Amino acid sequence: MPYEIPENQPTAADWEHGTGLIGVRDPAIVDAAFERGERHVGVAVIGLALHHRVPQTILPRVAQALRATDPMQQHQGTVALAHVARLHRTVDRECLALLRTQPRGNEADDDLWSFVPRRHLPWWLWCHQLPGQVKWYLLEGWRH
């Protein structure tokens, strides 16, 4: 289910200040922003992840953000991947390979583990998430 922009939120994209980019729905706008080297393109990728209905269209742009040299853009790519996992319950191999280069314990790790079928997740994510899951079940889960 795509995120809906509230009525009072401005929707005009302001690339200089980064406002209104969370409302981006068109992959062509994101592609053009990557080509221009826009500073706030990561926010537009998050917007695309929230609004576009086809994950196969979103994931290449997420991968492009994860490949960026700017740490903020990489983090925004991680956040976008978390949204794709949560909303579409899927991920592709390229994004998983790029996510593996990011620090563990990020938003995408947790949302992939929670929302994507575990049979589709790589061993390195299992190795990171499983000890915490077992610890929770042993120490906290029995209380619920």
Side-chain angles (χ1 to χ4, degrees):
M1 165 180 4
Y3 171 80
E4 294 299 324
I5 298 176
E7 293 296 323
N8 59 354
Q9 183 176 342
T11 57
D14 178 0
W15 291 101
E16 184 178 343
H17 299 101
T19 58
L21 299 178
I22 203 73
V24 170
R25 290 175 163 78
D26 186 357
I29 293 173
V30 176
D31 292 341
F34 272 119
E35 287 177 22
R36 291 190 310 267
E38 292 288 352
R39 184 174 59 147
H40 298 289
V41 68
V43 178
V45 173
I46 294 170
L48 188 66
L50 289 169
H51 299 295
H52 205 279
R53 297 189 185 275
V54 183
Q56 293 77 12
T57 302
I58 305 164
L59 289 169
R61 280 88 182 170
V62 171
Q64 195 168 354
L66 288 169
R67 276 193 300 273
T69 57
D70 176 22
M72 180 59 78
Q73 203 173 99
Q74 288 176 352
H75 177 72
Q76 290 163 337
T78 302
V79 171
L81 184 57
H83 287 307
V84 172
R86 191 176 320 110
L87 296 172
H88 301 285
R89 303 190 187 291
T90 189
V91 66
D92 65 4
R93 289 178 191 240
E94 182 181 16
C95 286
L96 284 172
L98 292 164
L99 182 64
R100 188 173 183 195
T101 66
Q102 302 297 314
R104 297 283 55 86
N106 58 55
E107 299 88 347
D109 284 355
D110 295 339
D111 283 0
L112 286 167
W113 186 255
S114 297
F115 297 104
V116 174
R118 298 214 174 119
R119 67 183 176 274
H120 298 296
L121 299 177
W123 64 269
W124 55 264
L125 192 56
W126 277 79
C127 290
H128 173 72
Q129 296 285 10
L130 199 55
Q133 192 81 21
V134 169
K135 181 180 174 184
W136 183 85
Y137 278 122
L138 292 176
L139 300 178
E140 302 291 332
W142 62 274
R143 295 180 188 178
H144 300 285

